Amino acid sequence: MRPRGGLGPGPVWAQRVRQLEQRARTQEERIIALETENAALHLKLAAYQGWAGRSVNEILQLYSTHGQQQKLQRSSLVTHLHEAIKRLKQDMKSLHSFALELSKDFQRQYKACLYQILTAVQGIQLQNEAMQMFQMKAFDLEQSLQEVTGRYEREKQRRRALHNSLVELRGNIRVHCRIRPSLPFDHAAGHSVSQERHRNSLENVAYAIDDETVLVKCSRPGHAPINKTFQFERVYNATESQDTVFADVAPLLTSLLDGYNVCIMAYGQTGSGKTYTMLGPQLEENLAFVNEDESELGIIPRATQELFRLISEKPAGSYWVEVSVVEVYNNEVFDLLAKDSCGKVFGIKRDVVTTREGKSDVPLLTYETVANASEFLHLVIKGLQLRVRHPTLVHAHSSRSHLVVTLTITTIVSGDNFGTSWEDEQINQRLNKEVSCSYPQKRDSRSTSSSRASSPAQLEAAEKLKQVKTRLQLVDLAGSECVGMSGVTGAALRETSCINRSLSALADVLGAIAEQRSHVPYRNSKLTHLLQDSVGGDAKLLVMLCISPSQKYLTESMQSLGFGTRARQVQRGQIKKRNLPVLSKTK
């Protein structure tokens, strides 16, 4: 191959040789560098090999040292274990000896406790025997106590029966006393009362120590306290219910149907519970109350219910009941059942007169015939709505008049068999029914008339029938008041004056009867004139004293208790039975 451009092969080869030489020198330099590096690596390798040898030797030394240490540790652990075992053996020996001593001590204590248990068991057996003996004695004593209590109760009832018989024979007035519980207005201080006096007035001073005795703690500043007792036929404490009170009143209603007049009168200061005892709470404002809570009913609704219950057991058509409601206000008598021309009820003033027979009477007084207790209560509520009331510092709903509710029971009996038993009267029951239409069912005055024509046979039968009238008077007296305590002025002051004068007149009448004076001042007050027959001995009279237990009203309570004590001492003679027949009026 020939070079281009006319150049010979020499320069080309020379250039090629130079290149190859250059490359050879480069390779040699590279070889030298690698050899140098290889030598350095050999040196490092030798150094590492030396270090590795030394490390191996150190490791071997460490292994040998560790082995020696383990041998030493194992030998010391064994030594410690031997020592611990020795100590455990010593402890076991001491524990064994302690256990032996404990077991011996336990045996000793066990024997001692067993002996004590046996001794205690023997003691318990002895105590059980003694307890059984005591129980037998207690049982015997309890039986003896029950027998004595039974004998005491029987003797007490017998004494009461004898006392009631004595009361009836002498014509004494039965007096019951009711102590009301403390009420919120007892704690209200008056305008001019000091705090110390107010605190003292909160103390209760009147108590029922038994069912016949009232204890009053009387104390005055600078004087030693004195306890006074008052005896009555029955005493009710503050916790006794309306049921308990009426249970002692109910027997009088049987006397009513047996031909005796009966009068039940509530006496006491304002706010002492008279209206509650006679009527019950809110009776005059809410007729539905009667059906909602009968346990709170007073004497008037309960007496009516009991009266109609007793009548229902008698022959049909042999009784009818008429009602009148009057109030004595400012010494005037008002008829609370009178009606105007439109039939509206409003109070009309009536007068009280004395008949030729010496009995009190109210001409033109309205009488309404009632067939059951509901009709009666309806009429009473109408009358109560007209009753005068006025708030005072003592009582927010103080009654300012005396209320007198009268039930007149007319009994139809045969003239031929008058005074005989009911079995004999039942024989004539058919005759009674035939002529019962001849007697009025409603009337507005004492006059009676027949609305139907009667045949001669009926007239002859009617003439053989007689009417016996008995009266039940239920009286809620207005409360006596201290003017300074009640704080009344103006018209209310006049009301208070009239109330106190009429109650004073009642006390004067009882005093005159007790002293058997020839003149009894019934006409000094319309109240005593109206109640002349009942107070004067023509009726079985029960006075229900109502008192407050508080020191605040001590003076008023003592006055009421004194009135009751004087009333018990009144002897009016034996009460007469209403056995004088009245010919029935027919046309």
Side-chain angles (χ1 to χ4, degrees):
M1 179 177 151
R2 297 180 66 182
R4 296 180 182 179
L7 294 177
V12 175
W13 289 105
Q15 186 178 358
R16 181 69 176 170
V17 169
R18 284 193 299 274
Q19 293 177 347
L20 291 174
E21 288 175 352
Q22 183 68 30
R23 293 178 63 182
R25 282 194 297 275
T26 304
Q27 292 293 328
E28 288 177 358
E29 291 174 357
R30 177 68 177 164
I31 290 169
I32 293 170
L34 290 173
E35 288 177 350
T36 303
E37 185 179 357
N38 189 21
L41 290 173
H42 277 290
L43 290 174
K44 288 183 179 181
L45 178 61
Y48 284 135
Q49 286 177 351
W51 180 79
R54 288 192 300 274
S55 298
V56 170
N57 291 331
E58 291 177 357
I59 290 171
L60 292 175
Q61 290 177 359
L62 289 172
Y63 272 118
S64 63
T65 304
H66 180 67
Q68 292 175 358
Q69 288 178 351
Q70 285 184 342
K71 288 180 181 179
L72 291 173
Q73 288 177 355
R74 282 197 295 271
S75 62
S76 61
L77 179 62
V78 171
T79 303
H80 287 305
L81 288 174
H82 280 294
E83 293 176 354
I85 289 170
K86 288 180 181 179
R87 287 195 300 271
L88 288 172
K89 287 181 178 179
Q90 292 177 356
D91 293 339
M92 288 293 292
K93 288 180 180 179
S94 62
L95 286 173
H96 182 66
S97 60
F98 177 74
L100 290 176
E101 293 178 359
L102 186 63
S103 177
K104 291 178 181 178
D105 185 57
F106 175 75
Q107 291 293 334
R108 289 193 299 270
Q109 292 183 0
Y110 172 73
K111 291 179 180 179
C113 290
L114 184 61
Y115 175 75
Q116 292 178 357
I117 290 172
L118 292 175
T119 305
V121 169
Q122 292 177 353
I124 290 173
Q125 290 177 350
L126 293 175
Q127 289 180 357
N128 285 337
E129 292 176 358
M131 183 65 69
Q132 289 178 355
M133 293 178 62
F134 283 128
Q135 287 179 346
M136 292 176 63
K137 290 182 179 180
F139 181 73
D140 294 338
L141 290 174
E142 186 176 357
Q143 284 187 332
S144 300
L145 179 61
Q146 290 178 352
E147 292 177 0
V148 171
T149 303
R151 288 170 55 192
Y152 169 74
E153 291 297 332
R154 288 193 296 272
E155 291 298 326
K156 189 176 179 181
Q157 292 177 1
R158 183 182 176 188
R159 188 189 68 80
R160 281 188 176 178
L162 292 174
H163 177 71
N164 286 333
S165 299
L166 182 61
V167 167
E168 291 188 4
L169 290 173
R170 290 180 175 177
N172 291 75
I173 300 172
R174 294 172 177 83
V175 181
H176 295 186
C177 180
R178 187 178 195 183
I179 304 174
R180 70 160 171 79
S182 295
L183 298 176
F185 62 77
D186 291 340
H187 303 156
H191 298 298
S192 59
V193 177
S194 64
Q195 291 297 325
E196 181 179 359
R197 185 177 177 185
H198 175 59
R199 285 193 297 269
N200 294 334
S201 69
L202 300 181
E203 179 185 359
N204 287 348
V205 295
Y207 305 91
I209 58 177
D210 57 41
D211 58 358
E212 294 181 353
T213 309
V214 177
L215 173 66
V216 181
K217 296 181 179 179
C218 302
S219 61
R220 291 185 299 170
H223 294 77
I226 301 174
N227 293 337
K228 294 186 177 181
T229 58
F230 299 86
Q231 298 286 333
F232 300 106
E233 277 72 25
R234 184 69 165 87
V235 175
Y236 308 96
N237 59 43
T239 61
E240 293 191 83
S241 65
Q242 300 275 64
D243 294 330
T244 305
V245 173
F246 182 71
D248 295 321
V249 175
L252 290 175
L253 301 178
T254 304
S255 299
L256 183 69
L257 296 186
D258 288 340
Y260 293 94
N261 291 330
V262 175
C263 178
I264 302 172
M265 179 189 305
Y267 182 96
Q269 72 162 117
T270 298
S272 59
K274 301 183 302 301
T275 301
Y276 174 81
T277 299
M278 295 302 292
L279 293 170
Q282 305 301 320
L283 175 62
E284 63 274 20
E285 297 179 7
N286 185 7
L287 182 59
F289 169 81
V290 178
N291 297 324
E292 291 176 2
D293 191 0
E294 293 188 355
S295 65
E296 295 294 325
L297 290 178
I299 291 175
I300 291 178
R302 288 175 184 268
T304 311
Q305 292 175 353
E306 178 66 11
L307 176 62
F308 279 102
R309 186 191 69 80
L310 293 173
I311 289 177
S312 67
E313 298 175 355
K314 303 299 181 179
S318 58
Y319 288 88
W320 78 72
V321 181
E322 295 170 304
V323 180
S324 68
V325 182
V326 301
E327 71 169 348
V328 181
Y329 173 68
N330 285 348
N331 204 32
E332 296 290 347
V333 176
F334 290 89
D335 183 357
L336 299 185
L337 295 184
K339 299 178 182 179
D340 58 12
S341 58
C342 297
K344 183 178 180 180
V345 176
F346 70 105
I348 295 181
K349 185 187 298 186
R350 303 293 189 191
D351 196 12
V352 183
V353 300
T354 302
T355 64
R356 294 179 180 178
E357 294 79 14
K359 305 296 182 181
S360 64
D361 188 22
V362 181
L364 303 179
L365 182 63
T366 302
Y367 289 82
E368 294 284 351
T369 303
V370 292
N372 51 55
S374 297
E375 292 182 5
F376 165 80
L377 290 176
H378 181 68
L379 291 175
V380 171
I381 290 171
K382 281 185 177 181
L384 289 174
Q385 290 172 352
L386 300 177
R387 190 180 186 186
V388 180
R389 293 184 177 185
H390 186 81
T392 68
L393 294 180
V394 177
H395 196 283
H397 303 284
S398 175
S399 300
R400 313 307 294 169
S401 65
H402 309 292
L403 179 71
V404 181
V405 178
T406 304
L407 288 89
T408 302
I409 296 91
T410 302
T411 307
I412 305 174
V413 295
S414 171
D416 296 334
N417 297 317
F418 186 77
T420 59
S421 64
W422 278 109
E423 289 78 3
D424 295 331
E425 292 182 18
Q426 287 177 349
I427 299 175
N428 298 322
Q429 181 178 352
R430 181 179 59 81
L431 181 60
N432 294 347
K433 290 183 178 180
E434 290 178 358
V435 298
S436 60
C437 60
S438 302
Y439 300 102
Q441 299 302 316
K442 297 278 183 179
R443 66 174 184 172
D444 293 334
S445 64
R446 290 193 179 274
S447 62
T448 59
S449 61
S450 174
S451 59
R452 294 178 55 186
S454 302
S455 65
Q458 288 177 330
L459 290 174
E460 182 180 358
E463 290 177 356
K464 292 183 179 181
L465 297 178
K466 313 297 180 183
Q467 292 182 9
V468 177
K469 294 183 181 293
T470 54
R471 289 191 305 175
L472 170 62
Q473 283 190 316
L474 303 165
V475 185
D476 179 21
L477 295 175
S480 58
E481 291 183 358
C482 173
V483 176
M485 183 174 292
S486 62
V488 293
T489 58
L493 180 60
R494 181 172 181 271
E495 294 170 352
T496 300
S497 177
C498 290
I499 291 171
N500 291 339
R501 282 203 304 268
S502 62
L503 294 177
S504 178
L506 179 60
D508 293 340
V509 166
L510 293 179
I513 297 174
E515 296 174 6
Q516 297 182 353
R517 300 179 197 166
S518 58
H519 173 68
V520 180
Y522 290 112
R523 297 191 183 185
N524 285 359
S525 169
K526 291 293 181 66
L527 174 66
T528 53
H529 198 183
L530 181 66
L531 300 178
Q532 174 180 343
D533 298 343
S534 297
V535 176
D538 195 35
K540 293 185 177 182
L541 177 59
L542 169 63
V543 176
M544 182 69 68
L545 295 181
C546 297
I547 65 172
S548 166
S550 176
Q551 169 74 32
K552 182 178 180 180
Y553 305 111
L554 176 60
T555 302
E556 290 78 6
S557 297
M558 291 294 292
Q559 188 272 334
S560 297
L561 293 170
F563 175 86
T565 301
R566 292 190 298 273
R568 285 191 75 207
Q569 299 170 354
V570 175
Q571 296 185 12
R572 304 174 299 166
Q574 187 173 3
I575 306 301
K576 296 180 181 180
K577 186 175 182 180
R578 305 292 294 176
N579 55 3
L580 294 177
V582 179
L583 291 176
S584 65
K585 297 180 181 180
T586 58
K587 287 186 180 181

